[in-house]
Amino acid sequence: MKNLAYAALGAALVFSLPARAQEDEEEYKPEIPDVSIYKAMLDANKPTGWIQFRNYDDRQLVYFTALQTMHCRLSAIRYSINDDSLDRSLPLAKCDPQLPFNLPSDDTADYIYISLKKNEAETIAVQAVWDDGSGSEIVIYKPCENVGEATCAAIKTIKKSKKRVDEPSPSSAVR
């Protein structure tokens, strides 16, 4: 009888443990890393190029891969060719919070690169716009010299971000 009581008590403990453990557990929900991580990545990639130029098959390809790895925290990738008007936007890859830095496969590659006529772009001005609406500085890249078909970009100039149109202005002097 004693053994049966111990067995019943043991069974009750075993069957009640998972229920208690489940009460203390929360299902993990992936979260996109903080924007500060993305901004640090952007800054670290600036010298080697947010974009890359490549001469290939009598075309000039401009790759935006480094910027697209930050797509989960971007609202836009603005760029312009041969001026700093930033009059174009590149489509962003769809964000998967489980793989926030990975690029989903896309047979079109519309968000990876643009294809231009050979030597069309002497410069590309680029600005990353974050999901909070703030913009990075504007970096103007030029193709590297004598690299053949390799991908490369060199910084020509860096400009401060232009003030957002929708950004509020202070109503009184700052003290």
Side-chain angles (χ1 to χ4, degrees):
M1 192 69 162
K2 238 182 186 180
N3 288 341
L4 187 57
Y6 286 129
L9 181 61
L13 286 174
V14 168
F15 289 112
S16 67
L17 285 177
R20 282 192 198 136
Q22 287 176 353
E23 288 173 11
D24 294 341
E25 294 176 6
E26 278 187 42
E27 184 174 331
Y28 174 74
K29 293 181 179 134
E31 291 183 22
I32 301 169
D34 188 76
V35 71
S36 62
I37 293 170
Y38 288 84
K39 288 180 178 183
M41 288 172 53
L42 186 72
D43 195 46
N45 283 318
K46 186 179 4 177
T48 57
W50 294 348
I51 62 160
Q52 298 286 307
F53 295 89
R54 180 179 183 203
N55 295 321
Y56 180 75
D57 198 23
D58 213 27
R59 304 287 299 163
Q60 184 181 43
L61 305 179
V62 182
Y63 290 89
F64 290 80
T65 314
L67 286 172
Q68 284 288 2
T69 60
M70 298 173 220
H71 66 281
C72 282
R73 282 288 182 193
L74 291 176
S75 65
I77 296 173
R78 299 173 51 204
Y79 72 98
S80 54
I81 301 169
N82 297 328
D83 63 41
D84 66 354
S85 63
L86 300 173
D87 59 345
R88 301 174 190 211
S89 290
L90 195 72
L92 292 170
K94 186 177 181 209
C95 178
D96 179 353
Q98 294 181 79
L99 302 166
F101 300 106
N102 288 18
L103 295 177
S105 63
D106 178 3
D107 294 336
T108 66
D110 287 339
Y111 57 84
I112 299 294
Y113 69 90
I114 58 173
S115 179
L116 306 171
K117 295 177 197 164
K118 187 174 184 177
N119 301 319
E120 180 178 346
E122 293 175 20
T123 62
I124 301 278
V126 184
Q127 182 183 44
V129 181
W130 301 106
D131 57 3
D132 66 2
S134 64
S136 69
E137 59 198 353
I138 300 163
V139 181
I140 301 173
Y141 290 97
K142 62 182 181 178
C144 296
E145 296 177 20
N146 304 319
V147 294
E149 289 190 5
T151 59
C152 185
I155 294 175
K156 181 177 180 187
T157 56
I158 299 174
K159 297 182 174 200
K160 295 292 180 200
S161 174
K162 295 176 183 172
K163 187 176 179 180
R164 290 184 2 219
V165 176
D166 62 339
E167 189 173 349
S169 299
S171 57
S172 60
V174 179
R175 297 180 193 193

